[in-house]
């Protein structure tokens, strides 16, 4: 039986909290649980969001038997189990290990990988990046050095459509035409082209080089390296050349955030279709999860793909049954089309799960739900903004005086407007900000 570490007491550090950095990051995992106000929390890493129906069933049963009977999706396509008892760690780790969801005790928090969820399904993108995904995960789990990666470090595998490439990865691979891949370190425009077959090895080499340069600095992510990423990029290129990769440095503008998959039936060049679904506020009951799992097992190819936009894609559905299945999933309370008022709406856990939150933001967001807008909107219970999106979005943050609402453009933020915590006033202000 796998040994479980005790719950971690500290919450994620605020920017600039050097005392917290000296202790290491506090990101939870499955072997190190986090103590929240609603019980212990486990974060199960799901690289690329790829789950078999059998693995999904294991998560459902754990949520029902050990947790709060719900599953919570994160902005990295991982799954959180909440409301856990503090003494359930060993059983949790044993069950997850048996399901193949814990392939390495030492690396379980380092397996942060997002991937284009529609890759290989809709005919878009340059390559199907699923082979990269399995190869990179195996490389991470067999690298002694990679075990030292922070639980916040992020790999992104983009099939060329520009979706996860805009999610702020520390190391990003983007498929290009022919037999090529673009390797980006951090969020600069300096990148390097490598052969597609060597892309996972190049990504790991970049992460290991970061660890070398981050030693003693307190940096958990590439953007936190003192002096910027120039020296890191040059060193990565040098090491790739030494390893025989023949890298070609290029200047590559950052992709614009293309957002997640459109909700509904996804068609492509195959005989089957896929269903793209949204989970309101990223939260799904065990019963709803069972519906998803049964649909994947009996009407799809037995696979679920969790997305960084807190959604689920079910591939391999027979085209004649797709619309009918979509209606069944809508009846189960899931978002099934772009007209859903939940489209683009997200929130942190808020009260009562988080002691730092100033409000039950999920209840407030539900009460203030309005028409679909052009931009995503994210509700946060405090200034930490845990799980917020990237790119351009509407920031709604609880304060002692009500809520501050502002528009975010990457690293820039408009002057916020303070709105009373009245659902009607909030709904009107958010709708105006979303456009």
């Amino acid at each position: 039986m796998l040994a479980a570490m005790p719950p971690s007491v500290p919450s994620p550090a605020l920017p600039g909290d050097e005392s917290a950095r000296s202790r290491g990051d506090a990101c939870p995992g499955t072997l190190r649980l986090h103590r929240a106000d609603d019980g212990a929390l486990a974060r199960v890493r799901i690289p690329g969001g790829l789950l078999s129906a059998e693995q999904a069933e294991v998560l459902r049963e754990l949520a029902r038997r050990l947790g709060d009977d719900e599953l919570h999706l994160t902005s990295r396509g991982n799954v959180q189990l909440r409301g856990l008892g503090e003494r359930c760690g060993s059983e949790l780790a044993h069950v997850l290990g048996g399901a193949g969801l814990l392939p390495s005790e030492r690396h379980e928090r380092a397996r942060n990988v997002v991937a284009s969820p529609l890759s290989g399904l809709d005919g878009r993108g340059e390559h199907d990046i699923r082979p990269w995904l399995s190869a990179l995960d195996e490389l991470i789990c067999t690298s002694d050095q990679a075990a030292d990666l922070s639980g916040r470090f992020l790999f992104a595998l983009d099939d060329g459509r520009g979706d996860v490439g805009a999610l702020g990865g520390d190391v990003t691979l983007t498929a290009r035409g022919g037999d090529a891949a673009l390797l980006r370190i951090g969020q600069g425009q300096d990148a390097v082209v490598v052969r597609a077959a060597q892309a996972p090895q190049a990504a790991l080499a970049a992460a290991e080089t970061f660890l070398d340069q981050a030693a003693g600095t307190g940096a958990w992510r590439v953007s936190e390296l003192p002096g910027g990423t120039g020296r890191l990029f040059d060193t990565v290129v040098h090491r790739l050349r030494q390893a025989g990769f023949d890298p070609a440095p290029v200047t590559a503008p950052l992709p614009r955030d293309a957002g997640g998959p459109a909700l509904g039936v996804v068609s492509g060049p195959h005989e089957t279709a896929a269903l793209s679904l949204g989970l309101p506020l990223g939260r799904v009951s065990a019963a709803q999860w069972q519906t998803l799992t049964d649909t994947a097992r009996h009407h799809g190819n037995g696979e679920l793909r969790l997305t960084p936009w807190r959604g689920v894609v079910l591939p391999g559905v027979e085209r004649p049954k797709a619309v009918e299945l979509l209606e069944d999933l809508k009846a189960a309370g899931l978002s099934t089309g772009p007209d859903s008022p939940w489209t683009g709406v997200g929130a942190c856990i808020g009260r009562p799960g988080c002691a730092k939150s100033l409000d039950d933001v999920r209840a407030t967001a539900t009460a203030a739900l309005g028409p679909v807008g052009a931009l995503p909107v994210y509700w946060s219970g405090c200034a930490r903004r845990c799980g917020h999106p990237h790119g351009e979005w509407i920031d709604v943050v609880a304060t002692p005086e009500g809520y501050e609402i502002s528009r975010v453009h990457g690293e820039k933020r408009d002057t916020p407007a303070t709105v009373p915590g009245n659902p009607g006033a909030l709904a009107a202000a958010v709708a105006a900000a979303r456009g």
Side-chain angles (χ1 to χ4, degrees), residues 261-278:
L263 303 183
V265 178
V266 179
S267 299
H270 311 292
E271 294 182 358
T272 58
L275 303 181
S276 177
L277 310 159

Side-chain angles (χ1 to χ4, degrees), residues 79-104:
V79 171
Q80 290 188 162
L81 303 174
R82 303 189 65 100
L84 300 167
E86 293 186 6
R87 298 185 181 277
C88 75
S90 294
E91 180 182 0
L92 181 71
H94 175 70
V95 173
L96 291 173
L101 292 168
L102 185 57
S104 171

Side-chain angles (χ1 to χ4, degrees), residues 290-379:
Q290 181 73 64
T291 301
L292 287 168
T293 302
D294 288 345
T295 302
R297 179 184 287 118
H298 301 302
H299 301 288
N301 65 0
E303 177 181 287
L304 296 86
R305 299 187 186 186
L306 313 183
T307 81
W309 299 272
R310 296 180 173 90
V312 180
V313 173
L314 304 180
V317 173
E318 293 182 21
R319 288 178 183 269
K321 294 183 178 180
V323 173
E324 178 184 349
L325 291 171
L326 208 61
E327 288 299 316
D328 292 341
L329 292 163
K330 182 178 181 179
L334 305 177
S335 299
T336 59
D339 58 340
S340 168
W342 289 109
T343 301
V345 179
C348 71
I349 192 64
R351 287 183 178 176
C354 177
K356 297 184 181 298
S357 180
L358 299 177
D359 189 25
D360 184 347
V361 291
R362 294 192 172 196
T364 302
T366 301
L369 199 63
V372 177
L375 290 177
V377 57
Y378 195 79
W379 297 72

Side-chain angles (χ1 to χ4, degrees), residues 4-262:
M5 297 176 66
S8 59
V9 176
S11 298
L14 287 168
D17 186 349
E18 295 303 326
S19 63
R21 289 177 183 276
S22 68
R23 299 192 301 266
D25 79 89
C27 285
T30 55
L31 301 182
R32 185 171 79 181
L33 308 184
H34 170 74
R35 187 178 296 119
D37 270 22
D38 57 350
L41 177 156
R43 183 174 298 160
V44 186
R45 265 62 177 192
I46 315 289
L50 192 60
L51 276 176
S52 68
E54 291 73 23
Q55 289 173 326
E57 176 61 24
V58 167
L59 291 173
R60 184 199 68 83
E61 177 61 20
L62 288 171
R64 185 196 65 79
R65 186 161 50 86
L66 302 180
D68 63 0
D69 205 37
E70 293 185 332
L71 296 101
H72 305 259
L73 267 63
T74 76
S75 59
R76 294 182 169 187
N78 294 320
V79 171
Q80 290 188 162
L81 303 174
R82 303 189 65 100
L84 300 167
E86 293 186 6
R87 298 185 181 277
C88 75
S90 294
E91 180 182 0
L92 181 71
H94 175 70
V95 173
L96 291 173
L101 292 168
L102 185 57
S104 171
E105 294 181 54
R106 294 183 60 222
H107 299 82
E108 61 103 5
R109 294 192 318 123
R111 300 170 66 232
N112 287 310
V113 187
V114 294
S116 299
L118 295 183
S119 189
L121 297 179
D122 62 353
R124 296 180 57 200
E126 298 291 344
H127 301 295
D128 184 347
I129 47 79
R130 284 177 297 172
W132 285 358
L133 177 61
S134 56
L136 178 59
D137 191 29
E138 182 176 356
L139 288 168
I140 292 171
C141 289
T142 54
S143 166
D144 288 337
Q145 194 173 7
D148 294 328
L149 287 171
S150 159
R152 304 181 182 209
F153 194 92
L154 179 64
F155 295 91
L157 308 182
D158 194 306
D159 70 357
R161 73 184 66 213
D163 52 359
V164 300
L167 295 184
D170 294 283
V171 173
T172 302
L173 290 175
T174 303
R176 303 191 90 184
D179 183 30
L182 189 74
L183 171 66
R184 188 189 305 275
I185 297 97
Q187 295 301 290
Q189 295 196 32
D190 290 334
V192 61
V193 177
V194 297
R195 288 178 51 210
Q198 296 176 318
Q201 292 86 348
L204 179 66
E208 292 176 337
T209 305
F210 160 77
L211 287 171
D212 290 340
Q213 295 196 2
T217 68
W220 293 330
R221 304 199 63 186
V222 165
S223 61
E224 299 168 352
L225 280 175
T229 60
R231 186 167 70 92
L232 172 61
F233 178 78
D234 292 341
T235 306
V236 169
V237 174
H238 176 70
R239 289 190 177 182
L240 292 177
R241 283 175 176 155
Q242 283 186 317
F245 279 60
D246 192 25
V250 297
T251 299
L254 286 168
R256 297 186 62 184
D257 189 356

